[in-house]
Structures are given as structure tokens and as C-alpha cells.
Amino acid sequence: NGLVYITDETMRNEITSFQKAVTIDSKHLTVEMINHHIEVKRILREERHLCTGHTFIVIDQSGSMRNSDVNGFVSRSHAAYGTLALDFISEQLDSNPNKYGLFAESVSVIEMKDTAKVVLQMEPFDWILFDRLCRRPNTTRPSFHGNYNESLKCVESMIFDEYTKLAEDG
């Protein structure tokens, strides 16, 4: 059931208990996968018209995301990133016949605090993205209040810039 019990030396009296955290194993990356990622990054940068889709994700990283009230996760932040990696990325990659990922699909991640911060921009939809999302809660610290308005303005600006570049390219 994922519970860990700490008892006294008699093993009859519980001192404390806690929910064991979910562990998400990183994907073993091959040289072939890394080379494919590098090539898709180049395509997304230099041949934008070949991008088949771009998903923008805003993740709450306000102070409340430090709370540890989601079963199986260290914090809400870990739950948000872990769920995104498992349910959005892994599920689609596992069901995709293309062994490298969804070709020329890209994902951008914006963290919402008191301001918006772009942490991943036009990343290929692949196992490298999965690993980056799994590691992200260990390198970010939820803080401040969440400002949806700033985050949505950031996404709007990113979409407008992408549209403008595509229109310029014809």
C-alpha cells in the first residue's frame, strides 16, 4: 500500500508512518535517441514549417506547490511534473509506433510563480523531454504567489512569435 511504518524495538508500537514516494525511473537513452533529439531540435529551429504540433504547458510553481499532500509524491510540484511526464509524455510515446517519439512535435513549459519563466522551449516530444520533466522538480523551488495572467501573456507572446516566424517563412 506504499506506507512505511517506523516502530519501536519491539515492533509493536508505531512511532510514525509515512507514504513512500513514487519513483519514476528515467529512460535509458541511447546514442541513436540523443542524435535523433539533436536533429529534431535543428528541424524545429531551422525548418519550423515541419513542426507538426506545439503544446504549451503552464505549471503552477507558486508557494503552495511545496505542500506534500498528494499521495505518493514528495510535493505538489513533484506530482505535477511526475504526472505530466507519466500521463502526457510516456503514455503517448509508449503507444507510438515511431521508436524515437512523435516526429517534429514540440513542447514548451512555462512555470507560473509571481512571474512567468520559460523552462523548456520547443523541446522535441521524446524520452529526453520525459527525463527533463522528471528531474525538473529537483532543480526548481516553488515560491511566491501564482500569477496566471503573466503566464498566459507569456504563452500568448510565444504563440504570436511562432506565428510571425512561420508567416515570414511563407
Side-chain angles (χ1 to χ4, degrees):
N1 64 4
L3 286 176
V4 176
Y5 295 95
I6 308 296
T7 63
D8 66 7
E9 62 278 353
T10 67
M11 297 182 74
R12 294 178 187 257
N13 298 315
E14 179 183 336
I15 297 171
T16 190
S17 64
F18 57 91
Q19 181 80 31
K20 185 177 178 184
V22 169
T23 55
I24 303 172
D25 296 327
S26 54
K27 185 75 171 176
H28 173 72
L29 301 176
T30 64
V31 172
E32 195 175 20
M33 292 165 86
I34 293 168
N35 288 339
H36 182 264
H37 177 84
I38 292 168
E39 175 61 12
V40 174
K41 285 282 284 188
R42 184 200 64 74
I43 289 169
L44 292 171
R45 185 179 56 251
E46 297 173 10
E47 301 178 63
R48 290 178 178 266
H49 64 282
L50 295 177
C51 180
T52 55
H54 190 169
T55 302
F56 295 87
I57 300 168
V58 176
I59 295 187
D60 185 356
Q61 286 298 289
S62 63
S64 67
M65 296 301 279
R66 289 190 305 258
N67 292 348
S68 58
D69 56 358
V70 179
N71 283 339
F73 288 95
V74 174
S75 68
R76 290 179 185 176
S77 177
H78 282 81
Y81 274 106
T83 301
L84 179 62
L86 290 172
D87 293 347
F88 181 61
I89 305 296
S90 177
E91 193 170 296
Q92 291 186 62
L93 291 176
D94 282 339
S95 65
N96 186 6
N98 177 356
K99 67 180 179 173
Y100 298 113
L102 299 173
F103 183 75
E105 292 280 328
S106 67
V107 174
S108 292
V109 176
I110 298 90
E111 287 184 345
M112 178 189 67
K113 296 183 183 183
D114 58 335
T115 60
K117 179 180 180 184
V118 178
V119 293
L120 295 170
Q121 187 167 6
M122 285 198 85
E123 284 295 312
F125 199 108
D126 60 15
W127 290 110
I128 293 172
L129 173 62
F130 172 86
D131 283 350
R132 287 182 178 160
L133 291 171
C134 290
R135 288 193 314 268
R136 182 66 191 161
N138 300 320
T139 61
T140 188
R141 176 144 172 83
S143 56
F144 304 108
H145 296 287
N147 188 335
Y148 283 99
N149 199 32
E150 289 298 315
S151 299
L152 294 175
K153 283 181 183 177
C154 178
V155 171
E156 178 184 42
S157 174
M158 292 171 73
I159 291 171
F160 182 77
D161 289 348
E162 189 171 321
Y163 170 78
T164 302
K165 288 176 185 171
L166 282 171
E168 289 171 356
D169 292 344

